[in-house]
C-alpha cells in the first residue's frame, strides 16, 4: 500500500475520456426516461410590462399538447429562496403577471414530443401591456448606488488626491466592457419526476447539493425529499451555478402533469434567461513618480444589475492586492436596470477589473517611457496594500520574469507602431494579474472496502474541469494507494453538503474534505467509513493574502485597412499552487486564456436601442472565438505551493481568463499607437482612414 | 411520381397515442451506423432529434439547433453535416454515421485516442461533433479540397492553420482548440483516420 | 414549426407541378437557411419539395466554353472543382469564406442565391420587418444596425444579402437559369436582385414557382488571378462586415478592365461600377487608389 507512486503531479488523461470521445457520457438531456413529456419555455418579448393574456385555449387542442403552466396555475414558490447574495427574484417564475425583463419565462408548454411542444409554444398567443423600460447602462446613471459590500467593499488607504497631486504622471481613463454571456456549449436541461414522496431531477448545474437546497426552499419541501443529480455537465462558466429556469419549470411540470418532464432551454433562451456578466464602466486613476513607483491607485467600477437580485461584480478586488501603493481608493457602484439579473461569469470581477487596471498600468509605463514589465516589478508589495496582511505565497515576479524570458520580451522596442509586416502592424503586450484562492466548507466520506479498494464520496461536480480525475489522484495520495484503488462518487445531492464548482474553489474545497477524511481513516487503521466536515478547519485558517498569480504575454497583428486584429502568440505563466495534473491544468488555463481572447476581440451582447432586447442572442450573432481565431498557446507553471491548503493546491479555473484581455489590448496599442479602452476590440474600432501612413 | 414514402417500412403508427397525419408524418428507413431503423416521424423532426430521441443515440449533441455551433455534426455518406438543419425525412437513403458508430466495440479510433491522450476536450459536450467533423475534414483534405486559407493556385498542405480554418464550424467554449488541432494533426500524421 | 408535407422528386417538371399546385409549397435543397427560418417561425411552408434528387448537380463546360454549375451542386463541390479553382479562383475563395465545412456540404448553389438576410430583426417574428411582413415597418432602421446596408437601402429595409458566393458571381457577370411550367429563362445576376425601394419582400425577380436549374459563368474571366477578401468579426464562421470580389485585367501596366463586387453592404452583391470606371484605362499601381500612399 505505502509503495504506491504519487498520483498528484502526474499528467494523466481524464478518467471519463473514453466515454466522452465515444458519445457514451450522458449529459442531462441524454438520460433515457420512460413516459417522458417535453416542456418548452415561452419567454417574454417585451422588456417591461404586464401579461395581459395568455390564450391557452388556442393551443390546448394542438396535437400532443398536455397543457400549459403559467402564472395562473403554477405552484406558489417561496420568495425567500435565493443564492449567494440573498433572495433571488429571478427564481420566482410564473408567480405573477409582471415582466421585469425581456426573456422572462411566462409559460411552460408541455407535450408528448419535442416537435409538438415547440409548435404549441410558438403558437401560444401572449399579449402584454407594455411599460417604459430602462436598459441604458452608464456609470453616472441616476439610479446608481453603492454595491452590496459582502466582498470587494470600498477601500480608502492614504490620501489619494494628495498623492496624485504630487505624482510625476497621472493616468486617468475610463474603460468599458459590455454584457457577456457564459455560453457553455450544453444548453441548460433538467428532467424532473416524482418517485413516491421524493422529487428527483437530473439537471445541468455546478453543484447539485446547493441546487437541491434552493429547490427545497423554493417549493417548500424538506431537503430530504429532494434529490438532484448531475453526471456530466457541458460547461458552466458561472451560468450553471444558480438554480436555472429549466429546473424550476421542470419541477413545476412534474408536479402539474404527474409524469417526468424534461425542459431544455433553446440556445436563444440560454442567452436570455441564464447568468450573464453585466455591462461595466470603470474609471482608473494612477499616479506615479518618475522612477515608476506608484503613489496612488483610484479604481471605481459601476455595473448593472436587476432589482430582482443582489450581485457584486468585484472589479476592484485585485486592485487591492496587486501593487504596492501608499494611497488606494476603490468603489463599486450598482445600477439597477430592467435586465436579467447578472451573475458570475468565469473570472467575475477580475477579468473586467484586470482589463481596466492593467491597461492603465500600460499607459503609466508609456507616459514614463519605461518597460511595462519593469513597472510591475518595481511595485511589488510586501504586504497586502489594503489589508496589511502578509502574503501566503506570492509568485508574481517569477511568472513575469519567466514569461518574459520565454516570450523574448527583452528585445521589445517599447515605442508603438514600430513593427510592420507587409500591410500588417505588429505589437506585443503583457498583463500581470492575480485571482483570490481559498476553500469553502465541504463534507466527504471514505469507505475502506473489503477488497482493499476505497470508495470516496464527495459532492463535487465535473464541468470539464477534470474534477473526477484530479480528486481521484488526491484521494489516492491521501490514502497512500494507487489511483486504481480509488472509486470516486460525485454529483448527487444525497452525498451531502459541499461547495459547488465555482469561484476557483471547487478543487480546494473538495480536496480538503477528502484529505481530512483520508487522514482520519488511516489513523483508524483503514477500517469502515469516515465522514468529515471541514467547516471548523476552515475557520482555523489564519488570515492571509491568498492568491493565484499569472503573467500573460500577447503578440497581435493588426490590419489597419480593415481593422482586423489577430492574436498570433499567447503565453501565460501561472502560479497556481501545486499542480495536481499538469495535462488538465494546462488545458484549463489555456481554455481560460481563450476565454480572455474571446472577451478581448469578440464578445458583446447587443441590445436593440428601442425595445431594449438582446438582438444577437445566438451563436451566429454573439461571437465566441472559433478555431481560426486561436493560435497555439503556451502555458506553464512556476513552482508554487499554498501552505494553508492541503496538498498545497490553489484554484486554476478562472485566472486564465484574467489578464488576457489587457495583454491583447496593450498589444494592439503597441501595434497601432491607439488605445482600445472598450471591449470587444472590433474591426470598426480599429480601422484607420489612412492605413498606409 | 416518386414519393419518398417506403411501403416496405411498416411501423405501427399512433405511437404515444398521437394520431399521425399522412401528409405531415412519414415512415422512413434511417440507416445509422450500419443499422436500419424503421421510424414513423413527424416531418418536422430533424435528423438530430431523430437520432437522439428515436434511435437513442445521444452521443450527438444539440448545442444551438440552428447550425451555428457544430456540436451535432454527423457524417452523411461520409460527408460531415450539421444534423440539426437536416430533416430526418431528408436523411432517408443516406448512410448516417454518428460518434457511436465511428469506432468498433472496445478499441478507440486513432482520432479518439489522440483526443484522450492530448486532452482535446474539457466538458466534452462539443467533442462528438469535433471528432465527426475531424473525420469528415480529413477525408475532404485527402480528396484535395482547398480551404479559405489555401493559397489560390496551390494545393493545400495540412498544417495547424489549415486545420483551424477547416474545423472552425465546431465551437468549443472550454477552449480546447489547441489540443484539438494537435490531436487532428497527430491523427493525420499517423496516416489512419478511422483505423 | 408548423406541420408540413414532404415530397422528394426526381424530375424537374414534377417539382414545378407540385409547387405550382400549392401556394404554401417551397423547394428544399440543403435546408441550411430554410429549415433554420422554419425553426424561427419566419418561414412556415405547408409542403416541402425536396429537389436534391433532381438531375441538376455538377459542374460542366457550357456550349460557349463557359462553366455551368448545376443548381443542386453543393457549395463544397463548387469550391473544390478544378476548373472553378483554375479559372474563377475568387468564386472558390468566396464559397470557402462562407459558413462552415458542414454547412457547405449541405448548401447548394440554387439555395445559396435564394438565402435570406441574416438581419436579426427579420429572424425575430416579434419585431417589425417589412421584408417578413410587408407594411409592418423596419425595426432595424432605428435599431442596432452597424452591420447593415450602406448602399442601396431605403427607409423600408436596411438588410444585407448574406451570400459570399453571389458576390463572386456578380463580379464574374454570372447568369441564373431557371425553369417554370411555362418554359425556362435566364437572368443576369446583376438583375437578379431588384432594388429595395418600398418592396423589400421582393427579393429576386424569379417568376413565381420558378426553380433555379443552373448558374453559368462566362468563357473567360479577366484574369486567372481574381480574388475574394472578406472582413468579419471573427476569423472564420461569421458573416461579412464587408467583402470584395475583384478581377483585374492588366496589359502593359494599364488596367484594361476591372470588376469589383462588394458583399455585406447592400441587399444584393454591390457592383462598384464607379470605382471600376475610375480604374479602367488607368495605371495599375497603388497610387491609383484615392487616399493611397
Amino acid at each position: 500500500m505505502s509503495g504506491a507512486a504519487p498520483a498528484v503531479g502526474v499528467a494523466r488523461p481524464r478518467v471519463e475520456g473514453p466515454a466522452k470521445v465515444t458519445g457514451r457520457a450522458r449529459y442531462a438531456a441524454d438520460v433515457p426516461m420512460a413516459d417522458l413529456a417535453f416542456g418548452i419555455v415561452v419567454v417574454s418579448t417585451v422588456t417591461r410590462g404586464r401579461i395581459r393574456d395568455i390564450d391557452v385555449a388556442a393551443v390546448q387542442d394542438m396535437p400532443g399538447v398536455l397543457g400549459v403552466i403559467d402564472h395562473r396555475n403554477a405552484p406558489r414558490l417561496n420568495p425567500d429562496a435565493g443564492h449567494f447574495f440573498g433572495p433571488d427574484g429571478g427564481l420566482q417564475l410564473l408567480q405573477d403577471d409582471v415582466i421585469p425583463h425581456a426573456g422572462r419565462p411566462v409559460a411552460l408548454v408541455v407535450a408528448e414530443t419535442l416537435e409538438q411542444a415547440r409548435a404549441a409554444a410558438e403558437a401560444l398567443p401572449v399579449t402584454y401591456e407594455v411599460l417604459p423600460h430602462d436598459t441604458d447602462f452608464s456609470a453616472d446613471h441616476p439610479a446608481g448606488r453603492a454595491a452590496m459590500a459582502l466582498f470587494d467593499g470600498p477601500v480608502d488607504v492614504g490620501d489619494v488626491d494628495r498623492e496624485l497631486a504630487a505624482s510625476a504622471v497621472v493616468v486617468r481613463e475610463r474603460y468599458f466592457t459590455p454584457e457577456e454571456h457564459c455560453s457553455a456549449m450544453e444548453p441548460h436541461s433538467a428532467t424532473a419526476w416524482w418517485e413516491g414522496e421524493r422529487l428527483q431531477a437530473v439537471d445541468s448545474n455546478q453543484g447539485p447539493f446547493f441546487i437541491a437546497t434552493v429547490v427545497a426552499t423554493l417549493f417548500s419541501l424538506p431537503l430530504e425529499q429532494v434529490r438532484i443529480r448531475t453526471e456530466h455537465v457541458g460547461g458552466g462558466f458561472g451560468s450553471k451555478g444558480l438554480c436555472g429556469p429549466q429546473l424550476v419549470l421542470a419541477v413545476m411540470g412534474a408536479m402539474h402533469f404527474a409524469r417526468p418532464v424534461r425542459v431544455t432551454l433553446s440556445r436563444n433562451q440560454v442567452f436570455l434567461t441564464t447568468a450573464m456578466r453585466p455591462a461595466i464602466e470603470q474609471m482608473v486613476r494612477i499616479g506615479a513618480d518618475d522612477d515608476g513607483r506608484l503613489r496612488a491607485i483610484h479604481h471605481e467600477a459601476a455595473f448593472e444589475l436587476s432589482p430582482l437580485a443582489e450581485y457584486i461584480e468585484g472589479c476592484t478586488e485585485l486592485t487591492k492586492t496587486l501593487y504596492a501603493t501608499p494611497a488606494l481608493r476603490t468603489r463599486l457602484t450598482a445600477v439597477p436596470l430592467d435586465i436579467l439579473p447578472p451573475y458570475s461569469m468565469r473570472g467575475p470581477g477580475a477579468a473586467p477589473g484586470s482589463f481596466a487596471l492593467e491597461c492603465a498600468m500600460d499607459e503609466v509605463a508609456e507616459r514614463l517611457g519605461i518597460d511595462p514589465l519593469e513597472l510591475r516589478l518595481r511595485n511589488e508589495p510586501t504586504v497586502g496594500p489594503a489589508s496589511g496582511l502578509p502574503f501566503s505565497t506570492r509568485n508574481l515576479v517569477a511568472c513575469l520574469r519567466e514569461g518574459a524570458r520565454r516570450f523574448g520580451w527583452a528585445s521589445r522596442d517599447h515605442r508603438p507602431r514600430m513593427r510592420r509586416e507587409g500591410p500588417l502592424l505588429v505589437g506585443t503586450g503583457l498583463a500581470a494579474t492575480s485571482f483570490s484562492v481559498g476553500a469553502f466548507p465541504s463534507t466527504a466520506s471514505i469507505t475502506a472496502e473489503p477488497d482493499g479498494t476505497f470508495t470516496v464520496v464527495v459532492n463535487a461536480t465535473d464541468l470539464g474541469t477534470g474534477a473526477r480525475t484530479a480528486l481521484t489522484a488526491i484521494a489516492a495520495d491521501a490514502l497512500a494507494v494507487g489511483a486504481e484503488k480509488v472509486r470516486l462518487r460525485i454529483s448527487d445531492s444525497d452525498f451531502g453538503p459541499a461547495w459547488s464548482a465555482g469561484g476557483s474553489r471547487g478543487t480546494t474545497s473538495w480536496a480538503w474534505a477528502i484529505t481530512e477524511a483520508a487522514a482520519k481513516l488511516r489513523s483508524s487503521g483503514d477500517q469502515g467509513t469516515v465522514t468529515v466536515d471541514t467547516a471548523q478547519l476552515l475557520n482555523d485558517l489564519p488570515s492571509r493574502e491568498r492568491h493565484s498569480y499569472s503573467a500573460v504575454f500577447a503578440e497581435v497583428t493588426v490590419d489597419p485597412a480593415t481593422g482586423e486584429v489577430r492574436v498570433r502568440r499567447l503565453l501565460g505563466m501561472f502560479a497556481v499552487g501545486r499542480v495536481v495534473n499538469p495535462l488538465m491544468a494546462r488545458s484549463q488555463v489555456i481554455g481560460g486564456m481563450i476565454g480572455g481572447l474571446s472577451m478581448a476581440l469578440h464578445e458583446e451582447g447587443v441590445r436593440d436601442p428601442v425595445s431594449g432586447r438582446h438582438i444577437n442572442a445566438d451563436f451566429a450573432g454573439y461571437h465566441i472565438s472559433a478555431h481560426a481565431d486561436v493560435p497555439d498557446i503556451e502555458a506553464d507553471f512556476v513552482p508554487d505551493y499554498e501552505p494553508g491548503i492541503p496538498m498545497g493546491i490553489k484554484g486554476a479555473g478562472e485566472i486564465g481568463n484574467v489578464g488576457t484581455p489587457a495583454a491583447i489590448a496593450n498589444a494592439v496599442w503597441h501595434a497601432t499607437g491607439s488605445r482600445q479602452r472598450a471591449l470587444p476590440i472590433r474591426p470598426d474600432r480599429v480601422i484607420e482612414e489612412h492605413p498606409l501612413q | 411520381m416518386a414519393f419518398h414514402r417506403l411501403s416496405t417500412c411498416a411501423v405501427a403508427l399512433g405511437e404515444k397515442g398521437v394520431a399521425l397525419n399522412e401528409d405531415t408524418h412519414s415512415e422512413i428507413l434511417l440507416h445509422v451506423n450500419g443499422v436500419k431503423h424503421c421510424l414513423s416521424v413527424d416531418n418536422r423532426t430533424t435528423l438530430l432529434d431523430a437520432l437522439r430521441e428515436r434511435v437513442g443515440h445521444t452521443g450527438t449533441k444539440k448545442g444551438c439547433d440552428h447550425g451555428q455551433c457544430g456540436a451535432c455534426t454527423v457524417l452523411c455518406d461520409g460527408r460531415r453535416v450539421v444534423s440539426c438543419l437536416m430533416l430526418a425525412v431528408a436523411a432517408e437513403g443516406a448512410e448516417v454515421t454518428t460518434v457511436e458508430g465511428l469506432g468498433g466495440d472496445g478499441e478507440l479510433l486513432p482520432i479518439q485516442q489522440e483526443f484522450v491522450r492530448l486532452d482535446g476536450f474539457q466538458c466534452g459536450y462539443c467533442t462528438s461533433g469535433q471528432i465527426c467533423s475531424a473525420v469528415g475534414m480529413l477525408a475532404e483534405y485527402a480528396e484535395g479540397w482547398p480551404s479559405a486559407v489555401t493559397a489560390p493556385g496551390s494545393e493545400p498542405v495540412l498544417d495547424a492553420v489549415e486545420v483551424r480554418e477547416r474545423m472552425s464550424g465546431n465551437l468549443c467554449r472550454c477552449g480546447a482548440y489547441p489540443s484539438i488541432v494537435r490531436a487532428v494533426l497527430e491523427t493525420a500524421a499517423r496516416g489512419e483516420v478511422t483505423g | 414549426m408548423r406541420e408540413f408535407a414532404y415530397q422528394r422528386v426526381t424530375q424537374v417538371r414534377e417539382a414545378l407541378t407540385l409547387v405550382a399546385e400549392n401556394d404554401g409549397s417551397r423547394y428544399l435543397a440543403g435546408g441550411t437557411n430554410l429549415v433554420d427560418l422554419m425553426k424561427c417561425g419566419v418561414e412556415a411552408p405547408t409542403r416541402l419539395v425536396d429537389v436534391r434528387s433532381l438531375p441538376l448537380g455538377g459542374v460542366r463546360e457550357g456550349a460557349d466554353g463557359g462553366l455551368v454549375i448545376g443548381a443542386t451542386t453543393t457549395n463544397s463541390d463548387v469550391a473544390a472543382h478544378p476548373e472553378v479553382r483554375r479559372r474563377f479562383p475568387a468564386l472558390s475563395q468566396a464559397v470557402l469564406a462562407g459558413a462552415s465545412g458542414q454547412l457547405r456540404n449541405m448548401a447548394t448553389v440554387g439555395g445559396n442565391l435564394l438565402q435570406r438576410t441574416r438581419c436579426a430583426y427579420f429572424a425575430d417574428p416579434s419585431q417589425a420587418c417589412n421584408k417578413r411582413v410587408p407594411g409592418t415597418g423596419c425595426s432595424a432602421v432605428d435599431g442596432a444596425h452597424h452591420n447593415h446596408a450602406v448602399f442601396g437601402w431605403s427607409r423600408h429595409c436596411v438588410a444585407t444579402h448574406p451570400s459570399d458566393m453571389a458576390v463572386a458571381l456578380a463580379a464574374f457577370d454570372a447568369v441564373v437559369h431557371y425553369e417554370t411550367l411555362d418554359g425556362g429563362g435566364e437572368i443576369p445576376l446583376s438583375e437578379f436582385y431588384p432594388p429595395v425601394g418600398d418592396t423589400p419582400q421582393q427579393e429576386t425577380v424569379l417568376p413565381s414557382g420558378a426553380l433555379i436549374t443552373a448558374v453559368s459563368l462566362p468563357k473567360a474571366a479577366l484574369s486567372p488571378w481574381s480574388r475574394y477578401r472578406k472582413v468579419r468579426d471573427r476569423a472564420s464562421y461569421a458573416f461579412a462586415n464587408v467583402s470584395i470580389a475583384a478581377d483585374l485585367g492588366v496589359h502593359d501596366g494599364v488596367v484594361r478592365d476591372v470588376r469589383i463586387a462588394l458583399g455585406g453592404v447592400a441587399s444584393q452583391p454591390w457592383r462598384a461600377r464607379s470605382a471600376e470606371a475610375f480604374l479602367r484605362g488607368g495605371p495599375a499601381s497603388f497610387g491609383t487608389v484615392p487616399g493611397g500612399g
Side-chain angles (χ1 to χ4, degrees):
Chain A
M1 245 188 189
S2 55
V8 171
V10 178
R12 279 174 210 257
R14 287 162 207 268
V15 294
E16 73 279 14
K20 283 185 174 174
V21 298
T22 55
R24 282 187 286 115
R26 284 196 199 281
Y27 298 76
D30 301 341
V31 178
M33 186 72 53
D35 198 31
L36 183 62
F38 292 87
I40 296 290
V41 184
V42 178
V43 301
S44 165
T45 56
V46 305
T47 296
R48 195 169 152 266
R50 285 180 181 281
I51 299 167
R52 201 171 265 151
D53 185 45
I54 299 179
D55 185 5
V56 173
V59 302
Q60 187 64 59
D61 296 331
M62 285 177 70
V65 171
L66 296 171
V68 177
I69 305 176
D70 63 25
H71 61 286
R72 297 166 298 194
N73 61 348
R76 292 305 101 185
L77 300 173
N78 178 351
D80 296 338
H83 292 117
F84 190 74
F85 300 96
D88 183 351
L91 293 166
Q92 300 294 315
L93 301 179
L94 314 188
Q95 298 302 291
D96 55 33
D97 61 355
V98 176
I99 303 297
H101 63 83
R104 174 80 158 185
V106 296
L108 183 75
V109 179
V110 179
E112 296 284 353
T113 73
L114 260 182
E115 291 79 17
Q116 291 164 340
R118 270 197 298 250
E122 280 166 30
L124 183 68
V126 182
T127 50
Y128 302 92
E129 176 193 352
V130 180
L131 296 172
H133 66 265
D134 184 357
T135 56
D136 277 345
F137 168 71
S138 70
D140 50 11
H141 192 287
R145 41 95 174 162
M148 182 190 207
L150 188 62
F151 59 82
D152 201 13
V155 156
D156 286 287
V157 175
D159 188 332
V160 164
D161 293 320
R162 198 171 61 199
E163 294 292 338
L164 287 171
S167 295
V169 299
V170 175
V171 165
R172 182 189 198 285
E173 295 297 347
R174 302 186 85 83
Y175 299 87
F176 179 77
T177 54
E179 289 171 343
E180 294 160 2
H181 297 269
C182 297
S183 306
M185 293 306 296
E186 179 203 21
H188 301 51
S189 178
T191 306
W193 70 99
W194 289 90
E195 276 181 24
E197 290 291 290
R198 270 200 115 188
L199 174 66
Q200 304 268 348
V202 173
D203 177 50
S204 33
N205 65 59
Q206 296 180 209
F209 180 80
F210 172 68
I211 299 297
T213 64
V214 176
V215 169
T217 308
L218 201 52
F219 289 90
S220 302
L221 295 166
L223 183 57
E224 310 77 60
Q225 228 171 296
V226 177
R227 185 184 186 192
I228 311 283
R229 278 169 290 173
T230 300
E231 192 182 357
H232 293 287
V233 182
F237 315 111
S239 75
K240 292 171 184 166
L242 305 177
C243 177
Q246 79 283 357
L247 181 55
V248 177
L249 296 174
V251 171
M252 285 183 176
M255 288 175 156
H256 194 91
F257 298 103
R259 60 188 276 193
V261 173
R262 174 166 297 164
V263 175
T264 304
L265 300 182
S266 69
R267 176 52 58 185
N268 176 252
Q269 291 170 350
V270 172
F271 276 93
L272 299 180
T273 69
T274 73
M276 63 171 181
R277 198 196 303 281
I280 304 158
E281 193 175 330
Q282 301 178 72
M283 188 283 300
V284 179
R285 286 196 296 168
I286 302 179
D289 284 336
D290 274 336
D291 63 357
R293 250 170 256 284
L294 302 187
R295 296 187 74 111
I297 305 179
H298 178 193
H299 187 176
E300 296 194 359
F303 60 90
E304 57 179 6
L305 49 53
S306 157
L308 294 175
E310 274 296 345
Y311 174 66
I312 300 167
E313 183 77 19
C315 296
T316 61
E317 275 233 302
L318 83 172
T319 308
K320 298 170 186 168
T321 190
L322 206 51
Y323 300 115
T325 179
L328 179 63
R329 184 190 300 162
T330 71
R331 294 290 184 275
L332 279 187
T333 299
V335 179
L337 295 172
D338 302 317
I339 59 169
L340 170 81
Y343 197 69
S344 302
M345 174 169 162
R346 199 174 185 182
S354 151
F355 167 64
L357 178 66
E358 286 299 285
C359 286
M361 284 292 280
D362 209 58
E363 300 205 37
V364 172
E366 176 195 351
R367 298 271 206 93
L368 291 169
I370 65 174
D371 179 353
L373 173 69
E374 188 57 35
L375 179 68
R376 270 82 177 183
L377 297 175
R378 281 184 200 171
N379 289 287
E380 262 294 285
T382 50
V383 296
S387 67
L389 292 170
F391 289 94
S392 174
T393 57
R394 187 175 163 101
N395 277 317
L396 176 60
V397 169
C399 292
L400 282 163
R401 288 202 194 281
E402 179 60 14
R405 187 187 70 75
R406 295 188 187 196
F407 194 76
W409 185 262
S411 63
R412 180 186 194 249
D413 182 337
H414 301 304
R415 295 170 299 169
R417 213 176 172 94
M418 299 302 289
R419 283 176 69 190
R420 270 170 200 276
E421 290 179 14
L424 301 178
L425 303 170
V426 183
T428 55
L430 69 76
T433 196
S434 68
F435 197 88
S436 83
V437 301
F440 284 104
S442 294
T443 61
S445 69
I446 305 181
T447 302
E449 305 289 355
D451 62 359
T453 62
F454 295 86
T455 300
V456 177
V457 178
V458 61
N459 222 336
T461 310
D462 194 333
L463 317 174
T465 53
R468 264 187 208 85
T469 314
L471 296 179
T472 300
I474 285 166
D477 281 12
L479 291 161
V481 299
E484 75 284 353
K485 300 271 193 207
V486 172
R487 209 168 34 248
L488 183 75
R489 302 186 64 198
I490 62 172
S491 296
D492 181 337
S493 62
D494 278 2
F495 293 165
W499 179 244
S500 302
S504 289
R505 281 159 167 78
T507 306
T508 52
S509 304
W510 306 321
W512 204 318
I514 289 172
T515 53
E516 204 52 35
K520 283 224 171 107
L521 189 70
R522 294 188 75 194
S523 68
S524 70
D526 281 338
Q527 302 233 320
T529 297
V530 163
T531 301
V532 300
D533 183 335
T534 59
Q536 185 53 44
L537 292 165
L538 289 167
N539 284 339
D540 296 343
L541 187 65
S543 287
R544 291 282 184 278
E545 290 267 353
R546 289 179 214 282
H547 308 276
S548 292
Y549 294 93
S550 82
V552 182
F553 297 77
E555 178 173 296
V556 304
T557 64
V558 177
D559 187 333
T562 62
E564 295 159 292
V565 176
R566 300 276 184 267
V567 177
R568 197 156 70 171
R569 294 168 65 204
L570 201 54
L571 183 155
M573 288 303 300
F574 294 86
V576 292
R578 191 162 164 221
V579 174
V580 177
N581 180 326
L583 178 69
M584 296 190 317
R586 187 170 285 122
S587 292
Q588 195 172 25
V589 294
I590 285 176
M593 290 165 77
I594 292 169
L597 186 163
S598 193
M599 175 180 174
L601 299 186
H602 307 304
E603 295 185 35
E604 177 176 30
V606 178
R607 284 186 189 272
D608 174 33
V610 178
S611 67
R613 293 157 51 191
H614 279 124
I615 58 147
N616 65 337
D618 61 24
F619 277 144
Y622 184 88
H623 290 149
I624 62 172
S625 291
H627 269 286
D629 295 291
V630 178
D632 200 21
I633 295 175
E634 183 176 356
D636 210 344
F637 305 96
V638 300
D640 195 36
Y641 191 92
E642 166 51 51
I645 298 177
M647 301 234 167
I649 61 176
K650 297 178 180 174
E654 300 175 276
I655 191 163
N657 295 56
V658 186
T660 307
I664 290 171
N666 291 338
V668 171
W669 166 79
H670 189 233
T672 63
S674 296
R675 290 285 172 190
Q676 296 292 332
R677 301 188 187 93
L679 297 184
I681 306 173
R682 297 190 312 243
D684 62 292
R685 287 175 165 155
V686 179
I687 191 168
E688 299 179 6
E689 204 173 336
H690 301 295
L692 300 178
Q693 287 161 8
Chain B
M1 290 213 198
F3 288 100
H4 72 290
R5 212 161 277 139
L6 297 179
S7 54
T8 55
C9 177
V11 177
L13 301 183
E15 194 179 333
K16 287 190 171 181
V18 182
L20 296 186
N21 179 330
E22 240 186 49
D23 282 343
T24 58
H25 291 67
S26 304
E27 293 177 51
I28 62 168
L29 199 55
L30 205 57
H31 298 223
V32 184
N33 302 330
V35 177
K36 292 177 180 172
H37 299 267
C38 286
L39 303 174
S40 60
V41 295
D42 187 322
N43 288 345
R44 294 173 292 189
T45 307
T46 59
L47 175 58
L48 172 60
D49 286 335
L51 289 170
R52 291 178 51 82
E53 309 296 342
R54 305 298 305 282
V55 181
H57 287 351
T58 54
T60 306
K61 302 301 184 205
K62 184 182 288 185
C64 72
D65 214 23
H66 288 272
Q68 300 165 353
C69 80
C72 67
T73 301
V74 299
L75 301 169
C76 264
D77 294 326
R79 288 203 175 175
R80 51 182 175 156
V81 298
V82 285
S83 58
C84 71
L85 292 183
M86 179 170 280
L87 298 172
V89 283
E92 184 172 32
E95 177 56 52
V96 179
T97 306
T98 70
V99 69
E100 290 96 340
L102 284 179
D105 293 335
E107 190 74 358
L108 299 179
L109 292 186
I111 184 81
Q112 292 168 316
Q113 292 168 16
E114 295 301 335
F115 264 69
V116 173
R117 184 175 72 87
L118 297 168
D119 213 30
F121 54 90
Q122 292 173 41
C123 81
Y125 197 79
C126 72
T127 309
S128 35
Q130 300 274 0
I131 288 175
C132 286
S133 186
V135 171
M137 182 277 277
L138 290 171
E140 293 166 6
Y141 170 70
E143 289 176 44
W145 288 15
S147 84
V149 297
T150 308
S154 61
E155 293 309 308
V157 177
L158 200 68
D159 57 11
V161 174
E162 281 280 0
V163 171
R164 285 178 201 134
E165 166 55 30
R166 289 165 190 257
M167 291 293 292
S168 279
N170 291 86
L171 300 180
C172 166
R173 185 53 157 169
C174 297
Y177 294 132
S179 305
I180 294 169
V181 171
R182 230 169 282 142
V184 171
L185 286 171
E186 289 281 323
T187 306
R190 284 169 68 166
E192 40 177 0
V193 177
T194 51
Chain C
M1 201 187 294
R2 269 224 322 247
E3 290 186 307
F4 57 86
Y6 169 89
Q7 281 161 303
R8 198 180 289 192
V9 292
T10 55
Q11 288 164 31
V12 170
R13 189 141 194 99
E14 186 186 347
L16 295 171
T17 305
L18 280 172
V19 167
E21 75 189 19
N22 183 335
D23 255 4
S25 291
R26 295 289 308 270
Y27 298 114
L28 172 74
T32 55
N33 188 217
L34 180 57
V35 173
D36 185 23
L37 290 174
M38 287 163 67
K39 290 183 178 190
C40 296
V42 173
E43 299 263 19
T46 54
R47 177 196 272 166
L48 290 182
V49 179
D50 187 337
V51 298
R52 292 171 308 148
S53 300
L54 296 178
L56 296 176
V59 180
R60 60 188 164 81
E61 191 100 349
D64 61 350
L67 286 185
V68 178
I69 304 172
T72 59
T73 314
T74 64
N75 284 23
S76 293
D77 287 335
V78 172
H81 194 277
E83 283 303 296
V84 173
R85 291 172 67 188
R86 190 175 67 81
R87 291 158 67 180
F88 304 96
L91 175 58
S92 176
Q93 280 187 302
V95 172
L96 293 170
S100 68
Q102 291 93 315
L103 292 164
R104 293 192 293 270
N105 283 342
M106 301 167 75
T108 64
V109 170
N112 187 299
L113 293 177
L114 296 179
Q115 70 180 303
R116 312 198 66 188
T117 182
R118 292 321 194 271
C119 172
Y121 298 95
F122 169 75
D124 178 353
S126 68
Q127 295 275 10
C129 174
N130 287 321
K131 190 185 273 294
R132 185 173 12 85
V133 186
T136 54
C138 172
S139 297
V141 165
D142 301 312
H145 52 223
H146 95 274
N147 270 338
H148 280 63
V150 291
F151 298 130
W153 55 276
S154 77
R155 287 294 299 175
H156 302 279
C157 182
V158 292
T160 61
H161 196 265
S163 171
D164 292 290
M165 175 189 286
V167 179
L169 292 176
F172 291 127
D173 287 328
V175 174
V176 180
H177 302 258
Y178 66 86
E179 286 290 334
T180 69
L181 282 175
D182 304 326
E186 53 183 62
I187 308 166
L189 196 79
S190 57
E191 297 164 21
F192 188 73
Y193 302 103
V196 181
D198 54 5
T199 55
Q201 72 278 14
Q202 284 171 22
E203 297 179 352
T204 74
V205 299
L206 269 182
S208 168
L211 176 71
I212 295 177
T213 55
V215 174
S216 61
L217 292 162
K219 186 174 179 182
L222 299 179
S223 79
W225 302 293
S226 62
R227 289 292 181 269
Y228 187 74
R229 175 79 160 86
K230 179 177 180 180
V231 177
R232 41 186 156 176
D233 285 337
R234 68 181 167 197
S236 187
Y237 202 16
F239 290 95
N241 299 355
V242 62
S243 67
I244 180 168
D247 192 12
L248 188 68
V250 176
H251 188 70
D252 283 343
V254 173
V255 177
R256 182 173 53 82
D257 201 359
V258 59
R259 288 171 196 160
I260 300 170
L262 303 173
V265 293
S267 64
Q268 55 178 285
W270 195 261
R271 273 293 284 270
R273 297 197 188 273
S274 304
E276 292 176 2
F278 177 84
L279 293 169
R280 203 172 286 123
S285 73
F286 281 109
T288 312
V289 183

